[in-house]
Each structure stands twice: as C-alpha cells, then as structure tokens.
Amino acid sequence: QVQLVESGGGLVQAGGSLRLSCAASGGTFSRYAMGWFRQTPGKEREFVGAISRSGSTGYADSVKGRFTISRDNAKNTVYLQMNSLKPEDAAVYYCAAKETMFFPKTGYDYWGQGTHVTVSS
C-alpha cells in the first residue's frame, strides 16, 4: 500500500511560481509512474502531467511549457514546478501513483489528499 502526501500549495500572484511536492511511502517508489492532477469545484479531475519511472514526462496542453515534473527516487518524492501561473491554474492538486513503466493519464491506483493552489489576478 502506497501513501502519498502532497505539500507546497498556497497563494501566489498570477505570473508567479510554486513548487508542489509529493512524498511517497509504503512501496518501492522507483517502480511507480507518478501523475499530477487537479480539480476545481464542479469539475472533473483533470490530468496535469506525469513522469515515468525512467524519468520521461508528459503534460496536458494547458500546462506544457509552464509546468515541469521531476522525481527524486532517493527521497521518494515527486515535484511539480509551476511557473507563469494563471488564475485558471487555481485548483486542488493531487499526486497519484501507478506501478507501470509508462506515464499514463488514467488508471492510477494510489492518490494523495491534495493541496490547494490559489492564484490571484
């Protein structure tokens, strides 16, 4: 059983940056693809991006070029660096894990509790 804990959310001005972290425990972190998702009230959870266990990444078009996912297997942690933030990026951000060699957009098995990101205009 994998436990995931996100941190780093908060309030930032539009155009600013924020880095989210997701610490994993209870499994072999290096075997997992890690995904980031976000959700706003009344909307479905949205794929943001993911990183494979080998470090390959994929992103949603809405964040491509602004967000970067990285991982530190020694620290069992995945990061989401968010730059040039826009008000529409405000959401609860979740990390997720799936034991696979790919970086899928769906089908994750483990989820964190989420961290709030607010972007002021």
Side-chain angles (χ1 to χ4, degrees):
Q1 191 77 7
V2 176
Q3 292 82 43
L4 303 173
V5 179
E6 302 96 336
S7 61
L11 172 64
V12 63
Q13 286 190 331
S17 298
L18 208 57
R19 188 176 81 156
L20 306 183
S21 301
C22 173
S25 61
T28 304
F29 180 73
S30 60
R31 297 183 59 83
Y32 289 86
M34 301 298 296
W36 283 98
F37 294 77
R38 65 188 182 187
Q39 189 170 24
T40 54
K43 292 189 176 182
E44 291 190 357
R45 195 169 295 184
E46 173 189 23
F47 173 77
V48 173
I51 186 167
S52 72
R53 55 194 191 193
S54 66
S56 299
T57 55
Y59 300 93
D61 287 343
S62 59
V63 306
K64 202 172 292 184
R66 299 188 298 121
F67 290 12
T68 303
I69 298 173
S70 60
R71 65 189 297 159
D72 186 338
N73 288 345
K75 296 182 178 180
N76 290 355
T77 301
V78 63
Y79 304 97
L80 177 64
Q81 177 66 45
M82 305 185 293
N83 298 329
S84 302
L85 281 160
K86 305 174 181 180
E88 53 263 42
D89 293 319
V92 178
Y93 282 73
Y94 300 88
C95 69
K98 180 177 178 62
E99 189 170 354
T100 175
M101 63 183 294
F102 304 107
F103 48 91
K105 294 183 178 181
T106 61
Y108 284 80
D109 300 308
Y110 305 100
W111 293 84
Q113 83 291 346
T115 185
H116 289 257
V117 172
T118 303
V119 183
S120 63
S121 57

